[in-house]
Amino acid sequence: MKWRNRIAARAARNRGEAYFRKNPDRMFMVRATFPLEQEGWTGGEHVANPLTLCIRHNRNTPKHNVVAFSGDPAAVPNDETFLSEIWDHMRAAHTMGQGGRLEISASQHQALLSSTGHLRGAI
């Protein structure tokens, strides 16, 4: 990992720690990658679409679990129930050997939004 990617990763980790200290009742957060941080996730390869990170706070340790997926972070509600569902979906996909950056189809995203009360009625 290049030194600038390490610096970006450290800055991102510090922001995550600050977020969870400020919001002790939260277990999940969602955000876009920072520019140099995205390079670290993609191995320096250019990615046309932004990466979204779902970050899970481990309450007993200072570490966080992070999963990246393609998509606009504005389309992901920063809601505990939704993020818990999406985390479970991504963990299951990773367990089935789809590791790395995961893709979530529009229909899967719609089903998750619907199941957590963020989508009402037809689109």
Side-chain angles (χ1 to χ4, degrees):
M1 180 184 275
K2 295 179 182 176
W3 66 269
R4 28 182 234 183
N5 294 350
R6 281 191 294 237
I7 291 171
R10 187 178 310 121
R13 187 172 50 250
N14 290 343
R15 284 191 183 187
E17 289 171 5
Y19 175 86
F20 288 117
R21 272 195 308 274
K22 187 177 177 181
N23 300 284
D25 57 323
R26 296 295 303 258
M27 188 166 180
F28 295 95
M29 72 179 275
V30 64
R31 66 171 176 78
T33 53
F34 303 126
L36 291 176
E37 182 186 26
Q38 181 159 323
E39 286 181 18
W41 277 96
T42 62
E45 139 190 356
H46 174 72
V47 177
N49 296 324
L51 292 180
T52 299
L53 300 181
C54 183
I55 302 165
R56 182 175 183 259
H57 177 61
N58 295 322
R59 295 180 195 264
N60 298 330
T61 69
K63 294 185 178 186
H64 304 199
N65 296 6
V66 181
V67 177
F69 58 96
S70 297
D72 182 3
V76 181
N78 194 10
D79 170 75
E80 286 290 298
T81 304
F82 180 81
L83 294 175
S84 176
E85 291 284 330
I86 206 165
W87 183 268
D88 290 343
H89 172 79
M90 290 185 295
R91 186 179 61 190
H94 184 76
T95 301
M96 293 187 306
Q98 296 176 8
R101 196 172 64 229
L102 302 174
E103 301 289 333
I104 296 175
S105 71
S107 61
Q108 291 169 323
H109 188 228
Q110 183 177 353
L112 288 169
L113 287 169
S114 181
S115 72
T116 57
H118 291 282
L119 182 67
R120 291 173 177 71
I123 294 180

